[in-house]
Amino acid sequence: MHKKISIGLMIAIVILTLIATALVTTAVTMTAYSDLIADLPQREAMYDSLSEIDSLVRSEYLGNPEEESIDSGIAQGYIDSLTVGINEYMTAEEYADYKTLQSGISLEDGSEITGVTYSKFGSAGYIKITDFYDTTAAAFSSACTALIDNSVTGIVIDVRDTDSINIQSAADIIDLIVPLASDNTEAIATAVDKDGNNIEIFSADSASIDLSFAVIVNENTRGAGELIAADLRDFSKGSVVGKTTAGLGTYQKIYEMSDGSAVILTVGELIPYSGESYNETGVTPDYTSELTQQTDDLSSDSLFLQAYAVVSQ
């Protein structure tokens, strides 16, 4: 049998609930407010310093300060002070050029650029990637098709001296080579923010290339090229030849500002298929060599010959 609750008791419960809710809300608000107050002196000191410099320049500087240059200089200095990953401020003009270049259009003559060249050497194919654009993966796919049609038994991918944050381009190339990602992180790569949240996932489909691969790297290989080397090894699709890479395992996003300028900002750590980050440590080759000679003549390129021996086994 259920006992009835008196109206007085019910009112008391409601009042206590409201008080508890108010206390929790107040505690959360006060914590946020305290954090804000703690940060205010630092912000005020920064603004005071800028104001002092501005007053000094306007009163004593021989020339006339240009407002646009001052604004971009402050933004540039702020971004340059960041120490994790790759961060860059671009003016509106610089950002327009950046978008054009990344789309695969030459700034010099408007022709298409892909960053990909290829050739056949003995029984193997050789694909050189000099940079990563939005057109690179499609060009890489065409190169693979042409080499396979030419009966190669393996392919050497050369990403020496590549320095690119175009992770999507690298992921598209990896997707062409590897099968469906099903183990480990279940993704080609995952970008994880500072709170441990997944902010971008790069996946692979079931299509793959049934050939042996080798990836040539050196100490100047950074970003997108490192992901290719790490993932092809993680998927057991290829070996890495050369020297330990630079170790840029971070993920960047581009934010456009209201005036048309833009900021490239490091927003996460990039975790490859294995689940083990190579950020700041680099990708260690399976076949390490101090030989670094790189020439247009593959027959005298020591690292290529080592990679060729790997895919020809």
Side-chain angles (χ1 to χ4, degrees):
M1 182 174 179
H2 299 290
K3 294 182 179 180
K4 293 183 179 179
I5 300 175
S6 68
I7 293 176
L9 179 58
M10 184 177 297
I11 292 173
I13 292 173
V14 170
I15 291 173
L16 287 173
T17 302
L18 291 173
I19 292 173
T21 302
L23 287 173
V24 171
T25 303
T26 301
V28 171
T29 303
M30 287 302 295
T31 298
Y33 182 71
S34 296
D35 291 342
L36 178 62
I37 292 299
D39 191 46
L40 277 178
Q42 294 179 350
R43 290 182 179 275
E44 288 178 353
M46 177 181 70
Y47 296 142
D48 287 346
S49 178
L50 284 174
S51 178
E52 187 177 358
I53 292 172
D54 184 61
S55 297
L56 175 65
V57 169
R58 293 182 187 280
S59 64
E60 304 296 334
Y61 177 53
L62 179 62
N64 295 316
E66 299 179 4
E67 303 300 332
E68 185 176 341
S69 296
I70 292 173
D71 291 342
S72 63
I74 291 172
Q76 183 72 59
Y78 191 106
I79 297 302
D80 284 348
S81 72
L82 305 178
T83 59
V84 175
I86 297 295
N87 307 281
E88 183 178 346
Y89 170 78
M90 295 178 283
T91 64
E93 182 179 356
E94 290 170 340
Y95 182 45
D97 288 345
Y98 178 85
K99 289 190 291 184
T100 299
L101 187 62
Q102 283 301 302
S103 69
I105 299 175
S106 170
L107 295 177
E108 296 179 358
D109 57 13
S111 61
E112 182 182 79
I113 53 176
T114 65
V116 173
T117 57
Y118 70 94
S119 59
K120 185 180 180 182
F121 183 94
S123 61
Y126 173 72
I127 301 178
K128 173 66 177 177
I129 300 177
T130 56
D131 209 337
F132 291 83
Y133 308 102
D134 295 343
T135 52
T136 301
F140 182 89
S141 178
S142 298
C144 286
T145 298
L147 290 169
I148 292 171
D149 289 344
N150 204 4
S151 303
V152 299
T153 57
I155 294 177
V156 175
I157 304 171
D158 190 346
V159 291
R160 282 175 287 185
D161 299 322
T162 56
D163 182 4
S164 174
I165 61 170
N166 193 336
I167 299 302
Q168 184 62 62
S169 179
D172 290 342
I173 289 173
I174 296 165
D175 184 22
L176 293 168
I177 300 171
V178 305
L180 184 68
S182 58
D183 299 319
N184 300 319
T185 61
E186 298 188 358
I188 288 173
T190 305
V192 181
D193 69 13
K194 59 184 177 183
D195 297 319
N197 301 312
N198 294 346
I199 54 177
E200 194 72 47
I201 296 175
F202 301 91
S203 57
D205 59 29
S206 58
S208 62
I209 298 176
D210 188 22
L211 286 175
S212 60
F213 284 83
V215 185
I216 307 177
V217 298
N218 64 7
E219 69 277 14
N220 298 319
T221 302
R222 305 171 77 232
E226 289 182 283
L227 181 62
I228 290 178
D231 266 4
L232 261 59
R233 178 168 60 193
D234 292 345
F235 275 89
S236 299
K237 292 293 294 185
S239 300
V240 182
V241 177
K243 301 182 72 174
T244 300
T245 61
L248 180 63
T250 53
Y251 180 66
Q252 285 73 30
K253 280 188 176 182
I254 301 175
Y255 298 90
E256 184 170 349
M257 304 292 103
S258 58
D259 63 354
S261 63
V263 170
I264 297 175
L265 192 65
T266 296
V267 296
E269 186 169 17
L270 192 65
I271 308 300
Y273 179 61
S274 68
E276 298 181 7
S277 171
Y278 53 82
N279 188 41
E280 297 185 353
T281 60
V283 178
T284 303
D286 302 296
Y287 299 89
T288 303
S289 175
E290 293 301 317
L291 301 175
T292 58
Q293 183 181 10
Q294 183 176 180
T295 69
D296 293 332
D297 180 7
L298 294 180
S299 63
S300 61
D301 188 324
S302 54
L303 279 183
F304 167 76
L305 294 176
Q306 190 171 18
Y308 174 74
V310 171
V311 299
S312 301
Q313 293 176 355

